[in-house]
Amino acid sequence: MAREQFQTLSEPMYYILLALTKPCCGVDIMKRVQEISHDRVSVGPGTLYALLAKFESSKMIQEIAADGRKRTYLLTNKGRETLEEEYIRLTKMADEGKPMLSSEIFPEVKL
Amino acid sequence: MKNTLIRFSPFQLYESTSFEEYLSDMSMKGWLITKVTNAGFLSFRREAARRRNFSVDIFSKAAVSDASPEGKTADYIELCKGAGWEFLCGRGKMLIFTSADEHPVPIQTDEEQRRITIYKEAWQKIGLWTLTVALYFVLFSFMLGDSSFGYSVSKYSRISVVFSSIFAVLGCLQFILDFAVFRIGMQAKAKGKAKAKDGGVVEYCGYCMRTRLWVRRILYLTCFVGVIAAYLSLYFESDIHIHVLIKALVLGLVLFLLIALYLRVIRKQVKQIRTEFIALCGAFLIAGCFLMPYAADVIKRDFPGGDGSGITYDTGVQADKDAAASIADWFEFAGNDQQTFLASYKTAHFQYRDMISGDTIGSRYAVFSSSFAFVLDQYIELAQKADDLTRDTMWNRSWGSDAVYVSTGDTWTRYLVRYEDTVIDLQIHGTLSEEQMMQIRERLYPEQV
């Protein structure tokens, strides 16, 4: 069965939505993503621009302020629900994988 | 030491990585890119040699190609600036940035999406090119193959078709070659065969670039020669009148002005008009060539007595076919009713009465405004009586004309008489005597007798 858009989120998508749980503008979103992910995930301005456009057209985020070319976005209720579903999905995946990757089976893996 | 450098760039949209490496290489030699033209020329300015990071980005929503982007493009550039990328220049959807950071975050961090965007734009360009070439061939096939088109271009204009075909083939070859080089380069990189210079710049394929540049030079030269050949042959060898060419060029100029007006008023791209002036001039010339059939058709209808369907110049009206009229009667009719004559668009039809024998000979004639050679070619093609053409010496003596040809059918005798700058196609029942020929001449050209 074909996957619907945003049925599962990629890492950049996930962290951008996390960053937009508080009002945030373009450049600040990139910085917040790096902070939240402890510099593990970086989002380039081109990728961010495209994803913000997709999120806005899907009504997962909304523009709450505009100062010249600087636009501030915030998560909508639909975006929050999507984020929560993704979090639950990721948590389930981690929980289901944990016993399979226990130290008895993979001694070198430390969970 | 010069401060400006112009180079020709063979890079396609999907070769953004190679393009970035090339720009980085140039910056290490002290040249910074300042402009990219639609013809693929790169303009550099002199600066202190240092290594720079470049990003050749494809922004799908870009609608301008000059150095002052507006709207969404400006928003995008502002966002990239916040991430440490300074906008240098762009062309169409391609935007070129540079960063002073040693390890900047790439503009596109989603590689898969980046690849999809680049390939989509590249295939759109290829599709547009293919459509243009196909349309071009369809138009030319129609012009050269359809005998009911109304007129035919000179046989020498087929030279332009040859050159155009070479141009189209080379254009497709250019795309194939570029894509092949791209794929080979990608595979070489994947296998780790790419060499690295100081500073981490990966060497691009220099030999292939020289080959591609030469293909492009031949391509543009072929296009230039083909267009010149087409216009020269149309002017010197075809039967199209000079005012038809002028009308076609005026129509092309109108098209050019409409494009300029659209860009200036609706798109507000003043700089784009200036920077793409050469491309618009080329479009204007090509439009003039394509609009020529329309202009030719319009000019034919404006000809007095023109029938609007071909190059025949008719000077009479359809007389009552049952009425026995002499040449004198016919000319009187035409002379008294010029308005009807001009609006009738009918081939002349009259009967010549031999005043001595009393026999009535039905006849029809048309006076051509085209060159005799062209009329003769038309006659051979339409009448398919090339084997019956012979020279008639009697017409030579009677009219003093340079060339006379005769075709004998089952009941009609047809003469093509070239007299001074006109050609008369005379079809009659039976044959004319020398005296009758002189009488016709006196009626048609009384001032010459």
Side-chain angles (χ1 to χ4, degrees):
Chain A
M1 186 172 68
R3 189 181 70 173
E4 294 177 5
Q5 193 182 27
F6 305 131
Q7 187 176 1
T8 57
L9 302 178
S10 64
E11 267 196 338
M13 289 180 180
Y14 179 71
Y15 281 102
I16 288 172
L17 290 178
L18 278 179
L20 289 176
T21 51
K22 294 179 182 177
C24 210
C25 63
V27 178
D28 295 335
I29 295 174
M30 288 186 275
K31 288 178 184 173
R32 281 208 71 191
V33 165
Q34 280 189 303
E35 286 170 7
I36 295 169
S37 66
H38 300 97
D39 291 331
R40 189 177 61 81
V41 176
S42 296
V43 177
T47 302
L48 176 65
Y49 187 95
L51 289 176
L52 287 177
K54 282 184 183 176
F55 287 147
E56 197 173 12
S57 66
S58 301
K59 294 184 173 40
M60 294 173 65
I61 64 173
Q62 62 179 8
E63 184 182 308
I64 59 172
D67 180 15
R69 298 197 186 280
K70 190 175 174 182
R71 290 178 170 77
T72 304
Y73 297 93
L74 182 65
L75 215 55
T76 61
N77 288 335
K78 182 182 176 185
R80 189 173 295 276
E81 286 172 10
T82 305
L83 187 59
E84 286 173 356
E85 286 170 7
E86 180 68 11
Y87 174 76
I88 292 169
R89 187 183 75 86
L90 291 171
T91 307
K92 273 187 181 175
M93 284 170 61
D95 290 342
E96 289 161 0
K98 188 173 181 180
M100 309 302 290
L101 298 170
S102 65
S103 58
E104 294 177 0
I105 302 174
F106 294 99
E108 63 276 13
V109 175
K110 295 179 182 177
L111 296 174
Chain B
M1 179 186 290
K2 58 180 180 179
N3 295 321
T4 306
L5 186 70
I6 306 290
R7 282 287 181 270
F8 187 71
S9 164
F11 296 106
Q12 299 287 354
L13 278 176
Y14 45 77
E15 296 179 276
S16 56
T17 305
S18 297
F19 197 5
E20 290 165 2
E21 291 163 2
Y22 172 76
L23 293 176
S24 213
D25 192 23
M26 291 297 285
S27 72
M28 289 177 68
K29 295 176 183 174
W31 295 104
L32 179 66
I33 188 168
T34 56
K35 192 177 177 182
V36 182
T37 69
N38 270 340
F41 287 96
L42 307 176
S43 182
F44 295 85
R45 66 171 171 84
R46 172 68 74 178
E47 67 158 16
R50 62 183 174 115
R51 184 175 181 276
R52 281 176 174 265
N53 289 306
F54 288 90
S55 178
V56 178
D57 191 38
I58 307 299
F59 183 55
S60 301
K61 293 183 173 58
V64 295
S65 62
D66 60 6
S68 302
E70 298 174 351
K72 289 181 178 176
T73 309
D75 291 343
Y76 185 72
I77 289 172
E78 188 70 23
L79 184 63
C80 293
K81 186 179 178 182
W85 289 97
E86 178 195 347
F87 175 70
L88 291 174
C89 58
R91 175 173 63 86
K93 297 180 180 181
M94 181 178 67
L95 305 176
I96 300 177
F97 298 87
T98 186
S99 175
D101 296 340
E102 193 171 343
H103 299 289
V105 175
I107 292 179
Q108 300 290 342
T109 46
D110 190 341
E111 269 303 314
E112 184 184 345
Q113 186 58 45
R114 176 175 177 259
R115 201 175 301 119
I116 290 172
T117 303
I118 290 175
Y119 272 102
K120 181 182 167 187
E121 295 300 327
W123 279 113
Q124 277 184 356
K125 187 178 177 183
I126 292 171
L128 190 65
W129 173 267
T130 306
L131 182 66
T132 304
V133 170
L135 202 65
Y136 181 83
F137 274 114
V138 165
L139 187 68
F140 259 87
S141 299
F142 175 70
M143 284 175 66
L144 297 176
D146 187 358
S147 60
S148 65
F149 192 67
Y151 78 103
S152 65
V153 297
S154 161
K155 56 186 176 183
Y156 294 106
S157 68
R158 281 165 174 78
I159 295 175
S160 69
V161 176
V162 172
F163 275 102
S164 303
S165 304
I166 295 174
F167 171 74
V169 169
L170 283 177
C172 293
L173 183 66
Q174 171 196 298
F175 278 117
I176 295 170
L177 185 62
D178 286 350
F179 194 72
V181 166
F182 170 68
R183 295 296 299 175
I184 291 171
M186 280 184 69
Q187 287 172 4
K189 271 190 186 178
K191 293 178 183 175
K193 291 182 181 178
K195 298 177 185 176
K197 284 186 176 177
D198 294 339
V201 176
V202 179
E203 185 177 10
Y204 46 86
C205 187
Y207 173 77
C208 290
M209 181 177 290
R210 284 191 291 275
T211 304
R212 289 160 63 186
L213 285 173
W214 269 108
V215 169
R216 276 167 174 77
R217 285 183 189 125
I218 296 170
L219 189 73
Y220 289 128
L221 184 64
T222 305
C223 177
F224 178 74
V225 173
V227 169
I228 297 296
Y231 270 89
L232 287 177
S233 65
L234 284 170
Y235 181 74
F236 288 111
E237 300 291 344
S238 75
D239 71 318
I240 300 175
H241 277 258
I242 183 63
H243 42 270
V244 172
L245 290 174
I246 291 173
K247 208 159 197 174
L249 289 175
V250 169
L251 287 171
L253 181 61
V254 168
L255 180 66
F256 169 78
L257 291 174
L258 284 174
I259 293 172
L261 190 67
Y262 166 72
L263 290 174
R264 176 67 181 92
V265 175
I266 299 175
R267 298 286 293 273
K268 299 189 190 318
Q269 295 169 4
V270 180
K271 290 183 183 178
Q272 187 163 350
I273 294 175
R274 188 179 63 224
T275 57
E276 298 183 9
F277 181 73
I278 293 176
L280 285 173
C281 282
F284 150 68
L285 288 173
I286 293 171
C289 192
F290 285 153
L291 290 169
M292 202 174 296
Y294 170 74
D297 187 56
V298 170
I299 203 75
K300 279 179 295 194
R301 285 198 294 272
D302 291 342
F303 255 100
D307 62 5
S309 62
I311 41 81
T312 301
Y313 174 74
D314 298 326
T315 60
V317 298
Q318 179 69 48
D320 184 351
K321 60 180 178 180
D322 294 325
S326 66
I327 290 182
D329 292 336
W330 178 83
F331 276 103
E332 284 295 324
F333 180 82
N336 289 334
D337 192 353
Q338 289 293 326
Q339 197 60 42
T340 305
F341 149 71
L342 287 173
S344 180
Y345 304 137
K346 292 292 184 181
T347 304
H349 186 83
F350 64 95
Q351 289 181 321
Y352 175 75
R353 185 188 299 279
D354 188 318
M355 306 308 285
I356 297 174
S357 67
D359 293 333
T360 300
I361 302 171
S363 306
R364 174 172 79 100
Y365 87 90
V367 178
F368 292 91
S369 59
S370 307
S371 64
F372 181 73
F374 177 78
V375 171
L376 185 60
D377 288 344
Q378 281 285 322
Y379 176 74
I380 292 172
E381 184 180 345
L382 296 175
Q384 298 180 354
K385 289 184 183 292
D387 294 338
D388 298 329
L389 291 177
T390 58
R391 186 173 290 271
D392 187 278
T393 56
M394 192 158 62
W395 278 96
N396 282 329
R397 290 197 300 271
S398 302
W399 285 54
S401 54
D402 295 335
V404 176
Y405 295 86
V406 172
S407 167
T408 305
D410 292 333
T411 57
W412 291 84
T413 299
R414 188 167 188 173
Y415 299 90
L416 277 178
V417 183
R418 188 173 78 172
Y419 185 69
E420 294 189 346
D421 60 349
T422 59
V423 175
I424 301 172
D425 176 15
L426 188 65
Q427 297 179 20
I428 57 173
H429 273 295
T431 56
L432 291 174
S433 67
E434 199 165 337
E435 186 180 348
Q436 289 168 331
M437 291 178 190
M438 283 300 298
Q439 288 178 345
I440 294 175
R441 180 185 169 186
E442 287 171 14
R443 283 297 179 183
L444 289 177
Y445 302 100
E447 67 279 3
Q448 301 294 332
V449 177

